[in-house]
Structures are given as structure tokens and as C-alpha cells.
């Protein structure tokens, strides 16, 4: 079985939805930018690329991957749109790696795209009636009071904090550290090698270039975070706030996954090797705990232990998820989310998994090698993890 390697990994800077720099840029245009760049950076001739697999969420269905392939000039390449909620981007990379390792494809572009700013609003006719439910979102599970399918602050954030006894102060402290680390990473130019400048045309016709993550807050503090109101004050003890939750964001990311033999034939040096991946399901009430199982499963498949991993990113869908995963797996907090994550960088839903892989691959190159793990939860009681080595 051949190895699956990354020949390129790139992303847009992350915008703040509805009021940020990418608010006028569609998920389709964002996808085209990263697909084109992933192909160009790989060093492979376009005709060697076999497929494009992109995570999408809230984009209204259709095949956004085929759209991006065509717009990027890859007319001969089909496309697959994939939805695993928050883990869509990570699942797309895993899907590409599986096809390469199986010998079915030799080069696949994979990633995710998200424009919450321009996402369509759906409605449906209620079965058995002539009434319409508006707005409507496709459920991942049957809602219950403890696990509503359309309120992640309860499903993920509050349940995780409640089940493991994580305090408001712990979550706020994690969120503050996330912002501090993200701001430091931006200032040090840590993301410069992975970010593609995006030309943005405003409503007034003015053009600008967006190339710096805009969601991290430089002015936050424990006092400011503590002053934020709970999102559900009617629930006794509810401790989830906008401050210890992920952002609502726009952005896209893509990697090129290739057969290691193809890379060698072309004289190309990979960024990293995809060693293993895993997806798991749990009771929806325990959605925020799913990364714990996913990480264990992925590391076991790679023949590694947590002590072998140099850097983790556990997506901060809510700070509670990263705190819980760190505690339960006994991780060194210094090795977890060293450049921030969802609370600070933001969480463009379908993009985040691919963005994490992109950031970790570039970090392994800076370090001269090592092992990294990207992990996250996903709505409906799911979790995913992927292991990189270099």
C-alpha cells in the first residue's frame, strides 16, 4: 500500500461572518481560490490531478467541488462535495488519502469552504400539512431537551462542561490563551506561508486584499470574558458565552494529497505524510467528548501514543471541548493549540478541519519533522482525528 503525502497546503485568511472582509465573497469563489492555489503549489502538472473533494456545510447542496474544479481550469477533474458537519474538511482530506492509499487515485485536492455570510436560508413544507417551516436546517439527530440539533451551545458546550465539571473560569482562561496565542502567531508571521491573499471587491466597487486572520481579539482579558452574559441565562448555572465559544466565520482551505511514489517520480518533497485518521460516533449528548475517542483511535491506527505527538490542534468549537480533551488524555497544554483555534482564529464550519491540517503541516516543516494531530467534534455526536508525520 502506497503512502499518502501532502504536496501543498493552503488557506485563505479567516474572516468574521456578515461583517468581516469576506462577507461579499461566496463559498464557491473561496473554494476556487484554494483549489487553484493547491494545484499550483503542488508542483504537479494539472493533468495528473484525479479528483477534488471539498467539505461543505450550509451551502445549499449541489457539488461545490466540481464548480471549483471547473473554475480553476481543471475541466477533466470531477468533484465530490462532502458533509460531516464541523468535520467536513477533515473528512475530505481523509477521503482523499483513502483513495490514494487504495491505489485508485494518485493526486486529489481536498479541503473545505465556508461562507456563512452568504449561506442560503432553507425552508421546507411540514409533512402532513400545507404549512412551511422557515427557517429550517437539516437535523443530524432527533432533538431532545439535552441535545437540541440546532443549538450547539447546549449540545456541545454546556453538555461537555456539565459532564466533566469544567468551570466557567477554566473555559474563559482557555479562550483568553487562545486569543493570545493566535495574535502572537499572526504577529510572528507564522501563517504567512499558508495564507493566500484574496482580492475582495466591496459593494462600492473598491478593491482590497485580505490576507490576515481578522477574528483574534487583541484587547480581550479575563475581566472582559467574565463580564459576558451566558447564552442561556434561563438554564441554572449555564456557563457558555460568546467569549468561550468559537467564532462565526468565512474561509476556505485545500491540500493536495498525492501518492508518495508519484511525488518521488516528480522529484517533489512532501510537506507531511498522512499516517492515519479516524471518525467516531457517540451519544449526541456527549458530542464534545467525541474527539477523545477519535484521537485514541487514530493514534492506535498509526501505532503512536499521545507522548509521541509534538503538537495537537483540538478545535475549539467551544473552549470546553479543548479543555476536556486535554484533561482526559493527559495532554501537555503547551502542545495543544499553540497558535489558537476556534475561539480565536474562528471556525468556518466546513473549512476548519482542512485549515487545521494546513497549519499543522506547515508547522511540522518549520520544526524539521515530528508528529501532529488534528481533532474535532461534529454535530450529531461525531468526532474525527487525523495524524500527520514528517
Amino acid at each position: 500500500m502506497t503512502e499518502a503525502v501532502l504536496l501543498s497546503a493552503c488557506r485563505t485568511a479567516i474572516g468574521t461572518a456578515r461583517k468581516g472582509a469576506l462577507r461579499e465573497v461566496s463559498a464557491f469563489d473561496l473554494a476556487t481560490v484554494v483549489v487553484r492555489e493547491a494545484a499550483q503549489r503542488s508542483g504537479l502538472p494539472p493533468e495528473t490531478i484525479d479528483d477534488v473533494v471539498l467539505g461543505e456545510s450550509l451551502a445549499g447542496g449541489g457539488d461545490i467541488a466540481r464548480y471549483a474544479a471547473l473554475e480553476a481550469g481543471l475541466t477533466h477533474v470531477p468533484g465530490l462535495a462532502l458533509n460531516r458537519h464541523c468535520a467536513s474538511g477533515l473528512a475530505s482530506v481523509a477521503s482523499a488519502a483513502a483513495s490514494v492509499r487504495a491505489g485508485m487515485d494518485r493526486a486529489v485536492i481536498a479541503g473545505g469552504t465556508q461562507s456563512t455570510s452568504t449561506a442560503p436560508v432553507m425552508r421546507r413544507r411540514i409533512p402532513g400539512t400545507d404549512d412551511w417551516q422557515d427557517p429550517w436546517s437539516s437535523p443530524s439527530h432527533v432533538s431532545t431537551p439535552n441535545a437540541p440539533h440546532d443549538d450547539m451551545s447546549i449540545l456541545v458546550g454546556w453538555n461537555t462542561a456539565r459532564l466533566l465539571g469544567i468551570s466557567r473560569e477554566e473555559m474563559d482562561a482557555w479562550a483568553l490563551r487562545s486569543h493570545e496565542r493566535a495574535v502572537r502567531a499572526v504577529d510572528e508571521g507564522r501563517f504567512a506561508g499558508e495564507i493566500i491573499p484574496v482580492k475582495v471587491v466591496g459593494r462600492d466597487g473598491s478593491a482590497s486584499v485580505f490576507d490576515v486572520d481578522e477574528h483574534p481579539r487583541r484587547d480581550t482579558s479575563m475581566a472582559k470574558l467574565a463580564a459576558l452574559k451566558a447564552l442561556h441565562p434561563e438554564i441554572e448555572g449555564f456557563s457558555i458565552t460568546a467569549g468561550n465559544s468559537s467564532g462565526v466565520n468565512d474561509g476556505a482551505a485545500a491540500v493536495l494529497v498525492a501518492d508518495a511514489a508519484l511525488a518521488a517520480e516528480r522529484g517533489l518533497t512532501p510537506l507531511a505524510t498522512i499516517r492515519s485518521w479516524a471518525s467516531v460516533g457517540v451519544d449526541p449528548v456527549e458530542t464534545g467528548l467525541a474527539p477523545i475517542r477519535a484521537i485514541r483511535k487514530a493514534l492506535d491506527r498509526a501505532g503512536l501514543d499521545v507522548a509521541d505527538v509534538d503538537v495537537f490542534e483540538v478545535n475549539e468549537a467551544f473552549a470546553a471541548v479543548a479543555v476536556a480533551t486535554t484533561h482526559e488524555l493527559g495532554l501537555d497544554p503547551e502542545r495543544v493549540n499553540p497558535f489558537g483555534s476556534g475561539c480565536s482564529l474562528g471556525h468556518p464550519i466546513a473549512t476548519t478541519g482542512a485549515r487545521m491540517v494546513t497549519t499543522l503541516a506547515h508547522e511540522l516543516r518549520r520544526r524539521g519533522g515530528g508528529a501532529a494531530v488534528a481533532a474535532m467534534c461534529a454535530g450529531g455526536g461525531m468526532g474525527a482525528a487525523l495524524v500527520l508525520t514528517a
Side-chain angles (χ1 to χ4, degrees):
M1 181 173 62
T2 187
E3 289 187 327
V5 299
L6 298 180
L7 291 184
S8 64
C10 58
R11 68 176 179 95
T12 68
I14 299 171
T16 301
R18 304 186 184 96
K19 58 183 179 181
L22 296 177
R23 64 187 177 277
E24 306 299 342
V25 186
S26 73
F28 298 87
D29 290 340
L30 291 171
T32 300
V33 167
V34 295
V35 167
R36 181 184 290 119
E37 187 72 11
Q40 292 177 348
R41 289 189 181 195
S42 72
L44 292 176
E47 61 269 18
T48 63
I49 298 171
D50 295 304
D51 207 351
V52 174
V53 184
L54 291 181
E56 72 92 12
S57 177
L58 308 179
D63 193 343
I64 201 165
R66 173 58 176 166
Y67 180 100
L70 286 169
E71 290 301 296
L74 302 172
T75 308
H76 69 287
V77 178
L80 171 65
L82 189 154
N83 190 337
R84 190 169 272 167
H85 294 320
C86 297
S88 296
L90 201 61
S92 296
V93 177
S95 177
S99 186
V100 167
R101 288 179 64 169
M104 295 296 101
D105 291 312
R106 300 200 79 191
V108 179
I109 295 173
T113 184
Q114 182 77 32
S115 175
T116 306
S117 293
T118 65
V121 177
M122 295 185 286
R123 63 196 296 257
R124 70 156 188 169
R125 185 180 60 80
I126 300 172
T129 75
D130 290 324
D131 298 328
W132 288 82
Q133 185 176 347
D134 186 5
W136 173 80
S137 61
S138 180
S140 53
H141 63 281
V142 175
S143 284
T144 64
N146 281 341
H149 81 85
D150 57 352
D151 191 333
M152 297 300 108
S153 71
I154 296 176
L155 178 72
V156 180
W158 174 234
N159 282 339
T160 303
R162 180 176 57 83
L163 289 170
L164 293 190
I166 301 170
S167 70
R168 163 82 180 264
E169 290 72 25
E170 285 181 278
M171 292 185 286
D172 285 353
W174 188 281
L176 175 61
R177 187 182 69 169
S178 180
H179 282 283
E180 291 173 342
R181 289 181 166 191
V183 168
R184 183 168 64 247
V186 169
D187 290 348
E188 291 175 352
R190 291 277 183 164
F191 302 132
E194 64 195 60
I195 290 179
I196 313 158
V198 177
K199 183 179 178 180
V200 178
V201 178
R203 293 183 184 183
D204 61 358
S206 61
S208 60
V209 173
F210 179 58
D211 60 1
V212 178
D213 298 311
E214 65 182 359
H215 196 74
R217 293 183 177 274
R218 295 178 176 274
D219 61 349
T220 195
S221 65
M222 281 297 287
K224 289 182 177 180
L225 290 169
L228 295 173
K229 294 181 180 179
L231 296 178
H232 284 285
E234 75 281 5
I235 299 176
E236 184 178 354
F238 200 84
S239 53
I240 307 303
T241 70
N244 54 42
S245 306
S246 61
V248 182
N249 302 96
D250 304 323
V255 302
L256 192 140
V257 184
D259 179 341
L262 175 62
E265 290 168 14
R266 297 282 177 172
L268 302 172
T269 302
L271 282 168
T273 298
I274 300 174
R275 284 284 298 274
S276 68
W277 58 89
S279 296
V280 302
V282 298
D283 187 306
V285 173
E286 299 180 350
T287 296
L289 305 182
I292 299 166
R293 280 190 54 201
I295 290 171
R296 286 174 173 151
K297 192 172 183 178
L299 286 175
D300 182 65
R301 289 175 172 179
L304 299 174
D305 188 77
V306 293
D308 300 316
V309 180
D310 299 284
V311 57
F312 293 84
E313 184 173 344
V314 180
N315 181 42
E316 297 159 355
F318 296 86
V321 177
V323 172
T325 303
T326 301
H327 285 179
E328 292 300 294
L329 292 179
L331 306 181
D332 177 359
E334 293 305 309
R335 291 188 291 149
V336 182
N337 300 0
F339 311 120
S341 190
C343 286
S344 54
L345 291 173
H347 179 23
I349 300 169
T351 297
T352 296
R355 196 280 304 158
M356 294 161 71
V357 170
T358 294
T359 299
L360 291 173
H362 283 271
E363 176 59 15
L364 290 182
R365 168 161 285 188
R366 273 192 298 271
R367 292 175 180 231
V373 171
M376 61 205 314
C377 65
M382 296 186 287
L386 185 142
V387 181
L388 295 175
T389 57

